[in-house]
């Protein structure tokens, strides 16, 4: 399509700059194409830099050299040409490279900026396409902003839909292109869209990832189709030794009828798993890693990591199992011919070791050789099966004494029912057969080597299951119809006279084998080599056994390293990182091959595989169970991303398949099943604990979201009840890392109890703030998780702090999970601040009370904001590296943005930074002064265990009980559990005992433990004169002194500065002022040694008490004390004594 568009000649028009645009350009005398049209200056000036536009021809399948020829590029400027197929590239050229622009074959540079329009130069420069890059080359995808959109009748930056925009960065299939960002499309033209040096302004995208693309060398890479890659491989793996040496015995034990049931049951499990595998494999591009890749991308790294490791190990040990099966057959032949080398056991080891070395050689030679070997083995296997089928139609007299009579109805009838012997049961026979049905993932395990895994895996796997099942059933029925259960092998056991008591099928065929029962040498029950005996040419059956064992061993030897390599690439287990490396065109995991070889060799030398075999079967079954469960889980999660192209699956059938797999695990071997569960659970817990930094969009994530959504909606339909009240806090932290003490203290009483939202108001230029919002959201949410904070981060942009606070209080939260309590830090520097900021701060309290919020003010005498202590040295170097904001970490583990941040919170802004030279940037932080060191220590005090100390609760006014609930919640946490609650209340001197008893009764009804209750009878005593004087001195700069001014001047001043304290107001609230000063004296007296003080927050009437006076009250009340929480609930009960 695109090729056709290129051939199409666009209509001439004012927007088209054709090949003759050189003259037009020189007439205009402009510095670049379209400069006047854009109405904005270009990034570089003519004297600084030049740029050129290269039209790169579409040539998806052609090498880079052809592309360069097609676009007329010189080699110097063609760097990265393979990154720019089928689109225009703006190429910024270093001015120091000389006057002639590289890439212009004819030179012809004029003074100043030179734009080369090659191949007719059919393009118009669009806004956002240009950026001065210094000595770098920036490539910007202007695909579709010109030529391709002629059909739309205009030029635009907007991109038409194209697959390259949806690729991963290093996709093997083609390059990753970046579509124009929203900012580039809809921001003002006079802004520089790439001001961060990234093509799409995405700060989170590494520079290399933004435009670079991975173009693999397609020459020499081997990719298989569905027959060679999946069908052949699965059939070989499913047809194992069982087909030739155990199937006849199973028919003897279970009879033809139950044998078909056994095969059918195994097929049901494998078919359901095949359908599930097909569904997952067609839900998006499948990379290498087979079962591990499918499970990890569906259920997440925890299950994927656990299964990947045991599945790779199971495949490695399966190599040993199959090779020993082969070696046993060879040794059996040697024994028959008297050619043993040492003894049976050691011969198995020698032959096994030699075989596995040869198999390793075939595997390391490359997938192409391995695939050819598999084809040869399949041919031998099919010939062996054909040999047996032909043999059944040729009943020789010499074989009759051994029990083979050809197809006889009598034998079919006799063998149809079961005849279990030697304590065998239906399930024990099933357990022996089931491993013969495994191997269905052999094709999926090399998914990375398939040309089209989405099509190949479903077709190949399901067809392989169908063919192998039909062959198993056919052989079971035919062998059961031809051979009797017991035979002597003695030619003289023919019946001469009619026997009255002989009812066996052999008797009817004139043979009496009763002489050897119950232990005969021949027949279905006794001779494992029945198929050799029946076949037309016995050595071909031996060749079939060799083929079955070696092909399965080869498939497992290839699968294990491929799965392990994919697991190591994802870095789930960091210790195995060295095995991630691949070699050669096919990215072969040579180190993985070597490891698999060593594991297989080790188990071959042990040669005790009867114990290992059931564990291996269970490992395979565990992965089948999880593949089935993955499909069920993904369907249950209803993720819009779950839309497999393969439609013939059902979530409930997949769940049934998972349950059947678990049942079969116990049927095969109960202790091996338990061991498998323990290993999977152990690895799951390990990976969960390690928390690998990956995000694959798993169904676990989707289901978590769905559950959260459903529960949130369900919760919204339930009215709040006082028994279920939880403090849900909106903390105005600014950047969460800047005020750790505030965060840790609130987290102490909200963790696993209530909601905690960190509000951050960004102010300043809207464009810059919007950019910060998106980057901060991810950065600080990560910071909260890293610091084990169960909290959400909520940034907003507002004109000022009060607006931002209102937005957060009204809009933060969801349904019933909304904040009900505003938490702020005390504005310690209020006297030095602009009083308009203080007015805004106090208005936040009023707004909170208006919205029916409770308010908590937290004060530490050292302060809360540690932002100025973070990263003085590292800050400079981080700013040099990138203009975007970074987390820099120094003495404490809290990050902080650079001074470009426009965020504001309630502490003074410290924008001064110590600048050091680059070479000193790695040196130790400069020593802190005493105040800063104390501030730093205070910021971590709530992270430590609090010891046996007091939490003093000054519950002076009834606010609904929040003042009491917060300290109680603190004592339920591990770090605070040794603290005792002391309660202080106001009262009258003559009723102290009565008030204490009343409070004790109330607390016991609330079931809140306390160590002491103290009634303060002297709460209304006049404070000390020096304290009153200190208060008056503090408020002096904020007084209006209207009595000393003319009425008009005073009114004007009050209007301009509403925060000022009038003489009238001071007189009116003298009693309340004195109470705050007096309370501070009492606090100093009784609670100076407390760990924390929780106290009722005084309320100021809106419009009556000025901001300066209210701030002075809070200052006077809380100064020079241990950490103090000033709490005021919303005056609705949060405690109840009813059940």
């Amino acid at each position: 399509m695109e090729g056709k568009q290129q051939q199409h000649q666009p209509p001439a028009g004012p927007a088209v700059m054709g090949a003759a645009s050189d003259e037009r350009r020189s007439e205009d005398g402009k510095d670049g194409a379209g400069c006047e049209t854009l109405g904005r200056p270009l990034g570089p000036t003519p004297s600084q830099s030049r740029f050129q536009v290269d039209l790169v021809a579409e040539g998806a399948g052609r090498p880079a050299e052809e592309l360069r020829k097609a676009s007329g590029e010189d080699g110097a400027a063609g760097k990265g040409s393979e990154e720019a197929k089928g689109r225009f590239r703006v190429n910024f050229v270093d001015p120091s490279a000389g006057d002639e622009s590289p890439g212009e074959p004819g030179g012809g540079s004029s003074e100043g900026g030179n734009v080369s329009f090659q191949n007719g130069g059919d393009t118009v420069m669009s806004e956002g396409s240009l950026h001065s890059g210094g000595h770098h080359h920036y490539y910007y995808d202007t695909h579709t902003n010109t030529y391709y959109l002629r059909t739309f009748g205009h030029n635009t930056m907007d991109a038409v839909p194209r697959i390259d925009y949806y690729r991963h960065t290093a996709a093997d299939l083609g390059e990753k292109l970046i579509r124009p960002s929203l900012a580039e499309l809809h921001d003002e033209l006079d802004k520089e869209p790439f001001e961060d040096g990234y093509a799409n302004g995405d700060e989170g995208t590494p520079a290399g990832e933004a435009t670079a693309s991975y173009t693999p060398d397609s020459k020499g890479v081997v990719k298989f189709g569905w027959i060679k890659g999946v069908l052949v491989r699965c059939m070989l793996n499913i047809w194992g030794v069982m087909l030739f040496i155990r199937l006849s015995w199973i028919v003897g034990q279970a009879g033809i009828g139950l044998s078909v049931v056994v095969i059918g049951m195994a097929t049901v499990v494998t078919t359901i798993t095949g359908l599930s595998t097909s569904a997952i494999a067609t839900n998006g591009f499948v990379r290498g890693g087979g079962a591990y890749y499918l499970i990890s991308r569906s259920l997440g790294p925890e299950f994927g990591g656990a299964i990947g490791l045991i599945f790779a190990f199971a495949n490695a040990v399966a190599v040993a199992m199959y090779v020993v099966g082969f070696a046993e057959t060879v040794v059996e032949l040697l024994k028959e011919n008297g050619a043993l080398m040492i003894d049976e056991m050691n011969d198995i080891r020698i032959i096994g070791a030699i075989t596995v070395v040869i198999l390793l050689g075939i595997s390391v030679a490359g997938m192409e050789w391995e695939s050819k070997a598999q084809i040869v083995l399949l041919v031998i296997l099919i010939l062996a099966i054909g040999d047996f089928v032909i043999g059944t139609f040729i009943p020789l007299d010499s074989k009759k004494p051994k029990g083979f009579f050809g197809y006889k109805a009598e034998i079919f009838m006799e063998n149809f029912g079961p005849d279990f012997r030697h304590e065998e049961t239906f399930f024990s026979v099933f357990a022996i057969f089931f491993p013969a049905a495994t191997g269905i993932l052999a094709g999926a395990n090399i998914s990375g080597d398939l040309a089209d895994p989405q099509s190949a895996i479903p077709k190949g796997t399901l067809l392989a299951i169908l063919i192998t099942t039909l062959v198993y059933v056919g052989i079971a029925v035919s062998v059961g119809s031809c051979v009797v259960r017991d035979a002597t092998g003695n030619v003289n056991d023919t019946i001469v006279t009619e026997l009255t008591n002989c009812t066996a099928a052999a008797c009817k065929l004139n043979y009496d084998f009763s002489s050897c029962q119950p232990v005969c040498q021949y027949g279905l029950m006794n001779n494992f080599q029945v198929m050799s005996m029946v076949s037309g040419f016995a050595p071909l059956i031996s060749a079939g056994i060799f083929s079955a064992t070696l092909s399965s061993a080869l498939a497992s030897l290839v699968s294990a390293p491929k799965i392990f390599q994919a697991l190591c690439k994802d870095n789930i287990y960091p210790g195995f990182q060295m095995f991630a490396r691949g070699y050669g065109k096919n990215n072969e995991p040579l180190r993985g091959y070597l490891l698999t070889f060593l594991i297989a060799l080790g188990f071959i030398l042990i040669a005790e595989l009867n114990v290992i075999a059931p564990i291996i079967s269970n490992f395979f079954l565990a992965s089948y169970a999880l593949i089935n469960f993955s499909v069920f889980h993904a369907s249950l999660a209803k993720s819009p991303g779950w839309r497999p192209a393969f439609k013939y699956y059902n979530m409930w059938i997949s769940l049934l398949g998972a349950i059947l797999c678990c049942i079969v695990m116990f049927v095969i071997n109960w202790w091996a099943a338990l061991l498998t569960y323990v290993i999977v659970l152990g690895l799951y817990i390990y990976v969960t604990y390690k928390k690998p930094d990956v995000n694959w969009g798993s169904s676990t994530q989707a289901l978590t979201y769905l559950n959260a959504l459903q529960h949130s909606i369900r919760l919204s339909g339930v009215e709040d009840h006082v028994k279920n009240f939880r403090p849900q806090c909106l903390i105005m932290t600014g950047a969460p890392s800047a005020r750790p003490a505030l965060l840790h203290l609130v987290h102490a009483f909200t963790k696993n109890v209530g909601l905690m939202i960190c509000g951050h108001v960004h102010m300043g230029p809207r464009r810059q703030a919007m950019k910060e919002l998106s980057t901060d959201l991810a950065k600080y949410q990560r910071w909260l998780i890293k610091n084990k904070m169960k909290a959400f981060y909520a940034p907003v942009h507002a004109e000022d702090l009060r607006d931002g606070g209102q937005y957060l209080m009204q809009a933060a939260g969801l349904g019933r999970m909304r904040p009900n309590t505003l938490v702020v830090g005390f504005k310690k520097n209020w006297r030095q601040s602009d009083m308009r900021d203080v007015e805004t701060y106090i208005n936040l309290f009023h707004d909170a009370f208006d919205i029916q919020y409770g308010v908590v003010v937290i004060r530490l005498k050292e302060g809360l904001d540690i932002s100025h202590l973070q990263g003085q040295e590292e800050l400079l170097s981080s700013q040099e590296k990138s203009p975007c904001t970074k987390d820099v970490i120094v003495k404490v583990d809290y990050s902080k943005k650079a001074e470009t941040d426009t965020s504001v919170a309630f502490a003074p802004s410290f924008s001064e930074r110590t600048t050091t030279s680059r070479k000193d940037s790695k040196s130790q932080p400069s020593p802190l002064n005493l105040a800063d060191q104390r501030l730093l220590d205070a910021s971590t005090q709530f992270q430590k265990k609090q010891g046996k100390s007091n939490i003093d609760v000054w519950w002076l006014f009834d606010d609904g009980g929040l003042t009491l609930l917060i300290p109680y919640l603190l004592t339920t946490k591990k770090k605070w559990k040794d603290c005792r609650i002391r309660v202080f209340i106001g009262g009258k001197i003559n009723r102290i005992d009565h008030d204490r008893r009343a409070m004790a009764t109330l607390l016991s009804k609330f079931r809140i433990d306390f160590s002491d209750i103290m009634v303060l009878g002297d709460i209304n005593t006049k404070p000390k004169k020096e304290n009153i004087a200190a208060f008056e001195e503090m408020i002096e700069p904020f007084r209006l002194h209207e009595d000393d001014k003319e009425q008009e001047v005073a009114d004007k001043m009050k209007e301009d500065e509403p925060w000022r304290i009038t003489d009238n107001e001071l007189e009116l609230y003298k009693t309340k002022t004195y109470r705050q000063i007096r309370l501070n004296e009492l606090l100093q007296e009784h609670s100076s040694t407390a760990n924390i003080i929780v106290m009722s927050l005084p309320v100021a009437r809106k419009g009556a008490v000025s901001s300066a006076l209210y701030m002075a009250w809070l200052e006077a009340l809380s100064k020079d004390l241990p950490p103090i929480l000033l709490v005021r609930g919303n005056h609705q009960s949060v405690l109840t004594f009813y059940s």
Side-chain angles (χ1 to χ4, degrees):
M1 180 67 195
E2 291 172 353
K4 287 177 188 172
Q5 284 179 320
Q6 280 193 325
Q7 291 160 14
H8 165 66
Q9 288 298 319
V16 180
M17 292 193 173
S21 60
D22 287 349
E23 295 90 329
R24 218 178 309 160
R25 214 172 37 246
S26 23
E27 284 165 18
D28 292 347
K30 296 290 177 246
D31 294 333
C35 189
E36 193 173 50
T37 318
L38 297 174
R40 62 183 275 270
L42 292 172
T45 61
S47 59
Q48 290 170 326
S49 177
R50 307 177 180 162
F51 55 87
Q52 64 197 40
V53 180
D54 302 331
L55 171 60
V56 184
E58 190 75 7
R62 289 186 289 162
E65 292 85 331
E66 288 183 39
L67 286 175
R68 278 200 285 274
K69 285 173 194 167
S71 60
E73 285 182 307
D74 187 88
K79 185 180 176 184
S81 63
E82 63 274 11
E83 298 167 11
K85 295 176 199 160
R87 51 195 170 96
F88 296 96
R89 191 177 66 230
V90 181
N91 202 1
F92 296 98
V93 184
D94 185 354
S96 63
D99 289 335
E100 182 172 313
S101 291
E104 278 192 81
S109 294
S110 57
E111 271 297 302
N114 189 323
V115 185
S116 157
F117 292 95
Q118 297 162 357
N119 288 4
D122 226 1
T123 186
V124 173
M125 295 295 293
S126 55
E127 71 271 358
S129 302
L130 308 171
H131 177 56
S132 138
H135 291 270
H136 303 285
H137 283 229
Y138 286 86
Y139 302 119
Y140 179 64
D141 174 32
T142 57
H143 165 77
T144 71
N145 63 345
T146 54
Y147 202 96
Y148 287 89
L149 287 188
R150 295 288 175 205
T151 50
F152 289 75
H154 65 285
N155 291 316
T156 172
M157 275 186 75
D158 243 345
V160 293
R162 183 176 175 185
I163 192 170
D164 298 318
Y165 294 128
Y166 295 91
R167 294 195 193 283
H168 283 172
T169 310
D172 294 1
L173 301 178
E175 55 185 308
K176 159 83 172 164
L177 298 184
I178 303 282
R179 70 177 65 80
S181 70
L182 263 178
E184 288 161 13
L185 289 177
H186 107 294
D187 263 5
E188 300 92 345
L189 294 186
D190 59 346
K191 301 287 185 191
E192 182 60 72
F194 306 0
E195 58 198 16
D196 297 320
Y198 296 112
N200 65 348
D202 181 2
E203 293 179 18
T205 309
E209 193 174 303
T211 52
S213 63
Y214 173 65
T215 310
D217 184 357
S218 58
K219 287 183 181 175
V221 176
V222 180
K223 295 286 183 186
F224 303 117
W226 71 275
I227 294 176
K228 210 172 177 184
V230 183
L231 180 67
V232 169
R233 213 168 276 276
C234 286
M235 282 166 62
L236 280 167
N237 230 18
I238 294 169
W239 281 331
V241 185
M242 291 291 177
L243 180 65
F244 296 105
I245 59 174
R246 282 289 186 278
L247 192 57
S248 56
W249 175 85
I250 288 167
V251 173
Q253 289 280 357
I256 295 170
L258 286 183
S259 294
V260 172
V261 172
V262 163
I263 295 166
M265 282 173 60
T267 305
V268 165
V269 174
T270 54
T271 304
I272 294 173
T273 308
L275 293 171
S276 299
T277 306
S278 303
I280 301 177
T282 57
N283 190 51
F285 175 64
V286 177
R287 290 205 176 136
Y292 159 71
Y293 187 88
L294 298 179
I295 293 169
S296 63
R297 295 319 189 262
S298 294
L299 289 177
E302 296 83 8
F303 275 121
I307 282 297
L309 202 58
I310 69 164
F311 195 63
F313 178 74
N315 271 289
V317 179
V319 175
M321 215 164 66
Y322 296 128
V323 167
V324 167
F326 166 76
E328 278 178 355
T329 314
V330 175
V331 169
E332 200 68 35
L333 289 172
L334 292 174
K335 196 167 135 190
E336 281 176 20
N337 297 303
L340 283 176
M341 290 179 277
I342 304 169
D343 56 46
E344 279 190 49
M345 183 63 81
N346 284 318
D347 279 14
I348 289 172
R349 287 170 177 158
I350 293 165
I351 292 166
I354 294 167
T355 307
V356 82
V357 169
I358 294 167
L359 292 178
L360 177 70
I362 294 170
S363 303
V364 170
M367 289 296 288
E368 187 63 37
W369 280 96
E370 188 265 349
S371 185
K372 284 172 184 168
Q374 293 279 29
I375 296 285
V376 172
L377 293 170
L378 181 67
V379 170
I380 296 169
L381 201 53
I382 290 170
L383 286 174
I385 293 167
D387 177 34
F388 165 77
V389 173
I390 292 165
T392 58
F393 292 102
I394 315 170
L396 299 172
D397 288 345
S398 62
K399 293 182 182 176
K400 285 183 179 178
K402 294 182 179 178
F404 171 52
F405 293 93
Y407 291 100
K408 301 289 179 186
E410 298 93 330
I411 297 176
F412 179 83
M413 294 306 293
E414 184 180 84
N415 287 345
F416 192 80
D419 180 16
F420 293 114
R421 300 180 195 171
H422 310 299
E423 298 181 357
E424 295 294 346
T425 63
F426 174 78
F427 286 112
S428 68
V429 169
F430 176 75
I432 287 165
F433 173 77
F434 188 82
T438 60
I440 58 167
L441 294 181
N445 286 341
I446 61 154
S447 52
D449 295 296
L450 299 175
D452 181 10
Q454 283 188 302
S455 156
I457 291 173
K459 271 197 290 194
T461 305
L462 294 171
L463 190 58
I465 292 171
L466 178 66
I467 293 169
T468 52
T469 303
L470 291 175
V471 170
Y472 274 134
V473 170
I475 290 177
V477 172
S478 62
V479 81
S481 307
C482 297
V483 186
V484 294
R485 281 193 168 106
D486 297 291
T488 57
N490 188 347
V491 184
N492 298 323
D493 283 341
T494 51
I495 298 173
V496 180
T497 58
E498 189 75 27
L499 290 176
T500 52
N501 61 344
C502 182
T503 56
C507 295
K508 293 172 187 172
L509 298 167
N510 299 326
Y511 273 85
D512 179 15
F513 296 135
S514 57
S515 60
C516 71
Q517 288 177 350
V519 182
C520 295
Q521 198 177 347
Y522 292 96
L524 294 177
M525 293 295 235
N526 314 299
N527 182 12
F528 288 153
Q529 302 296 332
V530 164
M531 285 185 73
S532 296
M533 184 260 292
V534 171
S535 67
F537 182 60
L540 202 51
I541 296 294
S542 296
I545 293 171
F546 295 165
S547 170
T549 49
L550 292 177
S551 63
S552 297
L554 198 52
S556 296
L557 185 58
V558 169
S559 297
K562 296 271 181 191
I563 295 161
F564 195 53
Q565 183 186 33
L567 180 72
C568 297
K569 272 185 178 172
D570 289 334
N571 203 19
I572 304 291
Y573 303 102
F576 296 142
Q577 190 62 36
M578 60 180 287
F579 293 101
R581 188 171 171 199
Y583 297 85
K585 305 270 184 192
N586 272 11
N587 198 28
E588 294 286 353
L590 296 185
R591 294 175 180 179
Y593 280 131
L594 196 61
L595 182 66
T596 307
F597 165 74
L598 293 172
I599 292 170
L601 191 61
F603 279 102
I604 287 166
L605 296 178
I606 293 168
E608 282 293 328
L609 289 175
N610 289 344
V611 179
I612 298 295
I615 298 175
I616 300 309
S617 296
N618 273 314
F619 279 4
F620 283 126
L621 275 164
S623 26
Y624 293 176
L626 277 180
I627 286 176
N628 285 314
F629 183 70
S630 296
V631 171
F632 168 75
H633 202 267
S635 304
L636 187 69
K638 298 186 179 78
S639 169
W642 173 250
R643 39 182 194 278
F646 182 83
K647 299 296 181 194
Y648 305 103
Y649 73 94
N650 178 281
M651 63 185 281
W652 300 108
I653 289 176
S654 293
L655 179 62
L656 177 68
I659 294 166
L660 283 175
C661 287
C662 295
I663 293 169
V664 171
M665 285 171 75
F666 278 98
V667 167
I668 288 176
N669 192 306
W670 66 267
W671 62 262
L674 287 176
L675 183 66
T676 306
Y677 285 138
V678 168
I679 292 171
V680 171
L681 190 65
L683 290 170
Y684 178 88
I685 291 166
Y686 170 80
V687 178
T688 307
Y689 175 74
K690 280 294 191 184
K691 287 192 179 70
D693 187 21
V694 290
N695 181 7
W696 295 322
S698 66
S699 60
T700 312
Q701 196 178 328
L703 194 62
T704 304
Y705 172 83
L706 191 67
N707 287 337
L709 182 66
Q710 287 172 345
H711 285 105
S712 301
I713 291 167
R714 196 178 305 160
L715 199 61
S716 296
V718 181
E719 286 298 318
D720 286 331
H721 191 281
V722 62
K723 279 198 293 187
N724 290 327
F725 175 86
R726 296 161 186 272
Q728 311 211 89
C729 298
L730 169 63
I731 323 174
M732 305 299 280
T733 54
S737 55
R739 293 167 184 77
L742 186 65
L743 221 60
H744 284 109
L745 181 54
V746 177
H747 190 246
F749 63 81
T750 58
K751 182 187 177 185
N752 297 331
V753 173
L755 181 71
M756 174 166 150
I757 296 177
C758 301
H760 188 176
V761 180
H762 288 256
M763 298 188 291
R766 185 174 179 278
R767 180 187 169 89
Q768 177 69 12
M770 285 301 168
K771 189 179 292 183
E772 282 176 4
L773 282 184
S774 57
T775 54
D776 284 2
L777 187 60
K779 181 169 80 173
Y780 287 124
Q781 192 62 56
R782 266 201 315 270
W783 185 91
L784 290 167
I785 292 164
K786 185 184 166 193
N787 287 277
K788 296 182 178 166
M789 294 281 173
K790 297 193 176 179
F792 298 96
Y793 172 71
V796 292
H797 173 256
E799 291 302 314
D800 63 33
L801 202 55
R802 185 179 184 185
D803 284 351
Q806 285 179 341
Y807 299 160
L808 285 166
M809 284 188 276
Q810 290 175 72
L814 188 71
R816 294 275 171 219
M817 291 190 297
R818 299 185 163 272
N820 52 28
T821 307
L822 177 73
V823 181
V824 296
F826 181 74
K827 193 170 177 63
K828 189 184 173 195
N829 66 330
W830 68 277
R831 279 181 281 176
Q832 292 80 42
S833 295
D834 185 335
M835 285 308 288
R836 281 171 297 190
D837 292 344
V838 177
E839 180 86 359
T840 301
Y841 176 71
I842 296 301
N843 281 332
L844 264 178
F845 294 16
H846 295 312
D847 294 339
F849 290 137
D850 287 345
I851 304 171
Q852 291 293 296
Y853 268 52
V855 173
V856 177
V857 182
I858 297 176
R859 180 173 189 180
L860 272 61
K861 60 185 169 196
E862 298 86 357
L864 291 165
D865 187 3
I866 64 163
S867 55
H868 62 294
L869 303 179
Q870 294 172 351
Q872 294 156 336
E873 281 80 9
E874 281 89 340
L875 193 67
L876 183 68
S877 58
S878 74
Q879 282 175 326
E880 281 171 2
K881 285 175 199 164
S882 165
C884 66
T885 60
K886 291 280 180 192
D887 287 346
V888 279
I889 296 165
V890 261
K891 189 147 184 175
V892 278
D893 186 21
Y894 301 117
S895 55
K896 170 65 187 167
K897 298 196 308 170
E899 56 191 310
T900 52
D901 190 359
T902 56
S903 62
V904 171
F906 298 115
S909 151
F910 295 91
S911 56
E912 298 82 17
R913 299 283 185 266
T914 309
T915 55
T916 57
S917 65
R918 192 181 174 91
K919 66 180 179 186
D920 294 333
S921 64
K922 291 180 183 173
S923 63
Q924 290 295 313
S926 54
L928 300 169
N929 61 42
L930 193 59
D932 283 346
Q933 191 58 56
R934 280 182 183 155
L935 173 58
L936 212 50
D937 294 342
S939 72
T940 60
Q941 64 180 311
F942 300 123
Q943 293 169 260
K944 302 169 189 150
K945 193 164 174 61
Q946 298 301 306
K948 293 185 177 178
S949 55
N950 295 321
I951 297 176
D952 285 358
V953 182
W954 290 64
W955 196 16
L956 304 178
F957 307 104
D958 194 334
D959 58 352
L962 187 64
T963 312
L964 194 59
L965 182 62
I966 287 174
Y968 164 73
L969 290 173
L970 279 174
T971 58
T972 61
K973 297 298 185 285
K974 195 161 75 172
K975 286 175 185 161
W976 297 81
K977 67 178 171 44
D978 295 333
C979 295
R980 296 162 305 172
I981 294 177
R982 295 195 304 179
V983 180
F984 294 80
I985 57 171
K988 293 180 180 172
I989 291 174
N990 56 353
R991 294 187 50 176
I992 283 179
D993 285 343
H994 174 270
D995 290 343
R996 183 184 284 117
R997 277 197 303 274
M999 179 52 67
T1001 306
L1002 182 59
L1003 292 176
S1004 62
K1005 280 182 183 286
F1006 285 149
R1007 303 169 305 286
I1008 289 175
D1009 292 331
F1010 58 92
S1011 64
D1012 194 12
I1013 294 174
M1014 191 169 285
V1015 182
L1016 304 165
D1018 52 351
I1019 201 163
N1020 289 322
T1021 311
K1022 192 175 179 181
K1024 295 175 186 169
K1025 283 182 183 174
E1026 60 267 30
N1027 290 336
I1028 296 172
F1031 181 83
E1032 286 174 349
E1033 188 184 333
M1034 176 174 67
I1035 63 169
E1036 184 58 39
F1038 311 111
R1039 290 184 61 179
L1040 183 60
H1041 289 296
E1042 72 269 28
D1043 294 346
D1044 303 340
K1045 295 184 176 70
E1046 290 180 17
Q1047 184 67 35
E1048 233 175 81
V1049 175
D1051 289 349
K1052 180 80 172 69
M1053 200 169 175
K1054 182 66 178 168
E1055 191 181 326
D1056 293 343
E1057 299 175 342
W1059 43 264
R1060 287 202 176 270
I1061 307 168
T1062 63
D1063 297 343
N1064 184 38
E1065 175 190 7
L1066 203 56
E1067 189 59 39
L1068 191 62
Y1069 292 107
K1070 182 188 274 187
T1071 312
K1072 201 162 184 178
T1073 301
Y1074 283 178
R1075 187 187 300 139
Q1076 312 313 322
I1077 302 168
R1078 176 62 185 152
L1079 280 171
N1080 183 260
E1081 291 173 2
L1082 290 169
L1083 283 161
Q1084 303 271 11
E1085 183 184 333
H1086 296 289
S1087 295
S1088 56
T1089 58
N1091 246 27
I1092 196 164
I1093 302 167
V1094 182
M1095 187 172 197
S1096 298
L1097 172 74
V1099 177
R1101 193 170 295 282
K1102 189 166 54 171
V1105 178
S1106 61
S1107 302
L1109 181 59
Y1110 188 38
M1111 206 67 216
W1113 286 351
L1114 299 183
E1115 174 74 41
L1117 177 63
S1118 60
K1119 68 178 181 182
D1120 303 328
L1121 289 170
I1124 182 167
L1125 276 73
L1126 299 172
V1127 179
R1128 177 65 69 157
N1130 64 358
H1131 286 247
Q1132 292 173 358
S1133 296
V1134 301
L1135 297 170
T1136 180
F1137 48 79
Y1138 294 108
S1139 60

